[in-house]
Amino acid sequence: FDYQDLDYHYDNFDIGGQSLDEMEEEIKGIQSKPRVFVGFHLKSIGTSANILLSACRSESKSSCILAGGLAVLGGPLEMPWEFDRLYKYDITSNLRAIGIEPEDVLDSQIPF
């Protein structure tokens, strides 16, 4: 992207104290390791929703931790919409926090 056509001049492109090259190197390092994602097919549901994700070591609720969440804003007047791609939420670090590695076998039992 040629930002110079916008006649805007940046002091630098650092983000969070990292240059673009440093950030790209960090991203490639993360992508080179196994990861686990929860996938959502997001579309209009006619209401707002706050979705909380739990990661559990067993079926006991005491073994669960909050693995993240997302919010969907909607209402009865919203026009129909739908993402054409799966929304992926990385839960790798949350699984590791309860002793589950990405290479472990996961038993997913989610009611739909």
Side-chain angles (χ1 to χ4, degrees):
F1 178 72
D2 187 7
Y3 68 91
Q4 293 172 341
D5 287 343
L6 300 174
D7 199 28
Y8 186 86
H9 303 282
Y10 292 92
D11 293 334
N12 63 51
F13 283 116
D14 290 356
I15 300 173
Q18 291 183 314
S19 70
L20 293 179
D21 290 337
E22 291 169 329
M23 187 171 292
E24 183 177 14
E25 187 176 322
E26 183 174 337
I27 290 170
K28 285 181 179 179
I30 292 169
Q31 291 175 334
S32 70
K33 298 174 184 156
R35 296 176 292 159
V36 178
F37 296 88
V38 175
F40 296 93
H41 181 198
L42 298 176
K43 60 183 180 176
S44 57
I45 57 174
T47 188
S48 294
N50 187 27
I51 302 162
L52 300 177
L53 309 171
S54 295
C56 307
R57 270 211 64 78
S58 68
E59 292 186 26
S60 166
K61 289 191 180 200
S62 65
S63 72
C64 299
I65 63 165
L66 181 63
L70 63 117
V72 178
L73 182 60
L77 300 178
E78 76 178 296
M79 295 177 63
W81 61 271
E82 184 172 343
F83 280 14
D84 64 348
R85 292 175 184 85
L86 195 63
Y87 175 79
K88 298 183 230 176
Y89 192 102
D90 189 341
I91 61 167
T92 308
S93 62
N94 305 91
L95 293 179
R96 284 192 171 122
I98 57 173
I100 300 174
E101 291 298 318
E103 297 85 356
D104 294 343
V105 176
L106 297 176
D107 181 14
S108 177
Q109 298 177 2
I110 304 171
F112 289 98

